[in-house]
């Protein structure tokens, strides 16, 4: 997976530098590829950071993570090895493999914190999925209340003062500007 590829490249660089001590990276970000991030993300502003939505007493957001190498390694590689242990607990048997509940136990002893990170899901062909239809009813779908402005969908309240700043990053049709 992605972690193994990153680690192999880092190990190669360490070897080239004449060092076998690692890790090469101190901070790692793990981001879904099927989303459009609509807030700036500084991967150096915390030791174990997840978005500030979809968290509760017994569940943690599982959609992205950044922070110190050891915490990121747990988030990225600890899932499969942890399944058997998790499913042997009363909590695991009660909730099965519900992703956010599983994540809450996986990172239970990690000093996680949240940030106001917003993103929208992107479908096949790069189309941003603003709306979903369930049972014949269409509703707005998103992981935050802010959406890039488009001619038919102006920016909506949410993510506070970031609206104006991020509106500048997008053309009127909602596509990111090229740098």
């Amino acid at each position: 997976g992605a972690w193994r590829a990153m680690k192999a490249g880092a190990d190669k660089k360490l070897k080239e530098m004449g060092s076998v001590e690692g890790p090469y990276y101190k901070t790692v970000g793990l981001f879904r590829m099927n989303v459009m991030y609509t807030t700036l993300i500084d991967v150096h502003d915390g030791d174990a950071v997840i978005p500030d939505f979809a968290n509760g007493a017994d569940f943690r957001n599982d959609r992205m993570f950044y922070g110190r190498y050891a915490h990121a390694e747990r988030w990225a590689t600890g899932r499969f090895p942890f399944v058997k242990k998790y499913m042997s607990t009363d909590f695991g048997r009660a909730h099965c493999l519900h992703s956010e509940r599983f994540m809450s136990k996986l990172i239970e002893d990690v000093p996680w914190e949240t940030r106001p990170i917003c993103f929208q899901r992107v479908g096949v062909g790069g189309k941003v999925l603003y709306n979903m239809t369930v049972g014949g009813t269409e509703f707005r779908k998103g992981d935050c209340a802010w959406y890039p402005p488009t001619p038919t969908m102006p920016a909506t309240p949410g993510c506070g003062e970031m609206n104006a700043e991020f509106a500048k990053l997008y053309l009127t049709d909602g596509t990111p500007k090229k740098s």
Side-chain angles (χ1 to χ4, degrees):
W3 188 267
R4 278 189 300 253
M6 179 201 69
K7 188 168 180 346
D11 290 348
K12 182 179 176 185
K13 287 208 177 276
L14 285 170
K15 191 174 183 178
E16 289 169 1
M17 292 169 23
S19 172
V20 291
E21 296 297 317
Y24 180 74
Y25 298 106
K26 290 183 176 25
T27 303
V28 177
L30 300 152
F31 301 94
R32 285 174 67 149
M33 298 300 291
N34 66 334
V35 298
M36 177 179 70
Y37 294 91
T38 55
T39 51
L40 294 176
I41 299 171
D42 177 0
V43 298
H44 300 287
D45 78 346
D47 290 341
V49 178
I50 57 177
D52 66 356
F53 60 89
N55 295 299
D58 289 325
F59 54 96
R60 301 290 172 265
N61 189 305
D62 66 337
R63 296 178 182 120
M64 63 148 286
F65 177 94
Y66 63 86
R68 306 299 295 166
Y69 183 94
H71 300 320
E73 183 175 29
R74 162 97 61 88
W75 193 92
T77 67
R79 295 176 194 213
F80 290 119
F82 186 63
V83 169
K84 189 173 184 177
K85 179 179 178 182
Y86 171 82
M87 290 306 294
S88 70
T89 67
D90 290 339
F91 186 87
R93 284 189 296 275
H95 297 288
C96 299
L97 286 175
H98 179 268
S99 186
E100 287 88 355
R101 291 184 192 284
F102 176 82
M103 185 58 66
S104 76
K105 298 304 178 188
L106 178 68
I107 65 170
E108 193 167 42
D109 61 339
V110 171
W112 61 273
E113 52 192 310
T114 63
R115 297 288 184 274
I117 298 166
C118 298
F119 52 84
Q120 302 307 316
R121 295 168 197 220
V122 177
V124 176
K127 181 178 178 179
V128 177
L129 305 175
Y130 296 111
N131 299 315
M132 292 183 74
T133 303
V134 175
T137 303
E138 186 172 289
F139 63 95
R140 199 161 186 161
K141 173 68 179 153
D143 291 323
C144 65
W146 184 83
Y147 296 80
T150 67
T152 57
M153 184 173 51
T156 57
C159 294
E161 69 283 355
M162 296 182 173
N163 284 350
E165 181 182 345
F166 289 105
K168 294 175 192 171
L169 297 176
Y170 292 87
L171 301 173
T172 57
D173 68 352
T175 13
K177 286 184 181 178
K178 302 230 191 269
S179 301

